[in-house]
Amino acid sequence: MISSLRQPVVGISGSDLLLRQRHATLIKARSFLPSLSREKGQRSLVSVQKPLHIAASLGVGNFVSVKSDDDKRGDLVKCEAYEADRSEVEGASTPSEAAKKVKIGIYFATWWALNVVFNIYNKKVLNAYPYPWLTSTLSLACGSLMMLISWATGIAEAPKTDPEFWKSLFPVAVAHTIGHVAATVSMSKVAVSFTHIIKSGEPAFSVLVSRFLLGESFPVPVYLSLIPIIGGCALAAVTELNFNMIGFMGAMISNLAFVFRNIFSKKGMKGKSVSGMNYYACLSILSLAILTPFAIAVEGPQMWAAGWQTAMSQIGPQFIWWLAAQSVFYHLYNQVSYMSLDQISPLTFSIGNTMKRISVIVSSIIIFHTPVQPINALGAAIAILGTFLYSQAKL
């Protein structure tokens, strides 16, 4: 029972006290709560379903003259009770929980939307300008420049790092660079939907690497969830109309690289107080430093210049917008995903990542008119279902 007592402030002067002593009368105690005992044929007047609020007021009266017995009744304590809705008691924490859910929902919606836009523009760029090493470098360079400007202007607070931080970040950056380039190479050779179907098999790589290289063990449901993941990816690969081995291997290498990135990140970043946004910014800067010399060695300025002239002649100035958009949106969607990790559990993030992949696959098929056979769609659905079951089994 929750009760609240309301009593108005009463001013009493010295003369009042003197008169009170002279004319004090005995006031009998009166029960102001209904009886809790049950008589035959009666019901209790007190509700146990809702909290009971008690409001009390105290009347002191005017002590200038002696009061009659009837007048003294005004000096008794008046009590009133009323039942309150449970929402009055429990509603205090509701706004904060609702606000948190709304915030997470905004994170997810923004993350998915940015990822879809990135994949669309990235594929447009790669179709007109098939140089995945350069486009990967430009994506990292754009994100690094955006964050450096944000730190310099005070838009974002610069992280406090030390040599130990960058040392622990280096293997993470290597794995991130390999995964990023491999995924871009894959999308330059095959449809966006096919790349993401194969990338939905990342949980299988995670379990196998953790089991055989790190010696970790998992519950039986986790191993069983790998069957639809592997089977669905295999079915989608076999029935893919525009199958390309380089594209397939690029997606597989990307899966393996991102698994190692996650492992290195967990081991190396324990105890590091860097926000998700700044952590990804530092990761982008270090990955850019690693990738640039390899991009120059593999493709080189001469190939880039020749491809640029071809793309501009075929697409026109709009190609510059495509290139800028894919670079900006790549950084933004990754930044939002790392920021969301600060707000949600890894399980929720994993489920969100699965739903993100579905949105990318569906949107890319619609926008690029990708031909899909029913058996191919079935394989994709099985693989994605397996990914969802995997996330649930790890709970």
Side-chain angles (χ1 to χ4, degrees):
M1 183 175 71
I2 299 174
S3 63
S4 62
L5 183 63
R6 301 197 300 268
Q7 178 174 335
V9 178
V10 179
I12 303 176
S13 64
S15 60
D16 290 336
L17 292 175
L18 181 58
L19 288 173
R20 180 177 291 194
Q21 289 177 356
R22 292 180 180 176
H23 304 288
T25 59
L26 179 63
I27 299 175
K28 293 182 180 181
R30 296 187 180 183
S31 174
F32 57 88
L33 287 178
S35 174
L36 296 179
S37 63
R38 290 178 177 266
E39 297 180 3
K40 189 174 180 179
Q42 290 182 339
R43 291 184 179 180
S44 172
L45 298 176
V46 178
S47 171
V48 296
Q49 298 296 326
K50 297 181 180 180
L52 186 64
H53 290 260
I54 301 172
S57 61
L58 181 61
V60 178
N62 189 349
F63 290 100
V64 174
S65 60
V66 179
K67 293 184 173 203
S68 64
D69 291 340
D70 292 338
D71 294 333
K72 288 176 183 177
R73 291 177 184 174
D75 295 332
L76 297 179
V77 176
K78 282 186 175 181
C79 294
E80 297 176 349
Y82 66 93
E83 289 180 330
D85 291 334
R86 186 166 297 275
S87 59
E88 294 183 26
V89 181
E90 297 177 348
S93 61
T94 303
S96 60
E97 292 295 328
K100 185 177 180 181
K101 291 181 180 179
V102 170
K103 185 176 181 181
I104 293 174
I106 292 174
Y107 269 127
F108 272 11
T110 306
W111 176 23
W112 298 342
L114 292 173
N115 191 269
V116 168
V117 174
F118 158 72
N119 279 278
I120 291 172
Y121 279 110
N122 188 46
K123 184 59 178 176
K124 285 185 174 184
V125 169
L126 291 172
N127 286 340
Y129 192 67
Y131 297 100
W133 288 79
L134 177 60
T135 55
S136 300
T137 305
L138 292 176
S139 299
L140 294 174
C142 180
S144 300
L145 180 61
M146 289 170 60
M147 288 309 301
L148 289 173
I149 294 175
S150 298
W151 293 337
T153 57
I155 297 176
E157 184 179 357
K160 297 178 181 179
T161 61
D162 53 24
E164 187 65 26
F165 169 84
W166 293 100
K167 181 180 178 181
S168 61
L169 187 64
F170 182 78
V172 183
V174 171
H176 178 72
T177 303
I178 295 173
H180 175 41
V181 173
T184 308
V185 169
S186 174
M187 282 191 282
S188 70
K189 300 294 183 180
V190 295
V192 175
S193 57
F194 180 71
T195 297
H196 281 273
I197 291 172
I198 302 303
K199 283 179 67 63
S200 65
E202 184 177 328
F205 286 87
S206 179
V207 171
L208 295 175
V209 170
S210 299
R211 178 67 183 88
F212 294 106
L213 294 185
L214 302 179
E216 296 182 11
S217 59
F218 299 91
V220 175
V222 172
Y223 293 109
L224 293 178
S225 68
L226 301 183
I227 297 176
I229 293 176
I230 297 173
C233 289
L235 182 61
V238 171
T239 58
E240 174 65 24
L241 295 177
N242 299 315
F243 180 82
N244 182 280
M245 182 57 69
I246 296 177
F248 174 75
M249 291 304 299
M252 296 287 281
I253 293 172
S254 177
N255 282 339
L256 188 61
F258 285 141
V259 166
F260 279 104
R261 180 192 65 179
N262 297 337
I263 292 174
F264 293 146
S265 180
K266 289 179 182 178
K267 286 188 173 183
M269 300 310 298
K270 289 182 179 180
K272 307 294 183 182
S273 57
V274 178
S275 66
M277 180 178 67
N278 284 336
Y279 177 77
Y280 181 71
C282 294
L283 182 62
S284 296
I285 293 171
L286 191 53
S287 296
L288 176 62
I290 296 171
L291 177 58
T292 300
F294 287 96
I296 296 173
V298 173
E299 293 174 347
Q302 292 183 350
M303 295 178 63
W304 296 339
W308 180 267
Q309 292 180 355
T310 303
M312 290 296 293
S313 62
Q314 294 178 351
I315 308 298
Q318 190 178 9
F319 173 72
I320 300 176
W321 160 247
W322 292 358
L323 194 61
Q326 71 95 27
S327 301
V328 171
F329 283 110
Y330 172 79
H331 175 78
L332 291 179
Y333 101 76
N334 276 286
Q335 187 180 76
V336 172
S337 70
Y338 273 85
M339 290 171 65
S340 64
L341 274 174
D342 290 341
Q343 307 292 329
I344 60 178
S345 66
L347 174 64
T348 306
F349 182 85
S350 179
I351 296 173
N353 195 43
T354 302
M355 301 305 295
K356 176 210 72 175
R357 213 169 291 286
I358 295 175
S359 63
V360 171
I361 291 172
V362 173
S363 61
S364 64
I365 290 175
I366 295 174
I367 292 174
F368 294 108
H369 306 287
T370 306
V372 179
Q373 294 181 331
I375 191 68
N376 185 262
L378 177 63
I382 293 173
I384 293 172
L385 175 62
T387 304
F388 177 77
L389 295 176
Y390 166 81
S391 65
Q392 295 296 308
K394 287 198 71 179
L395 178 62

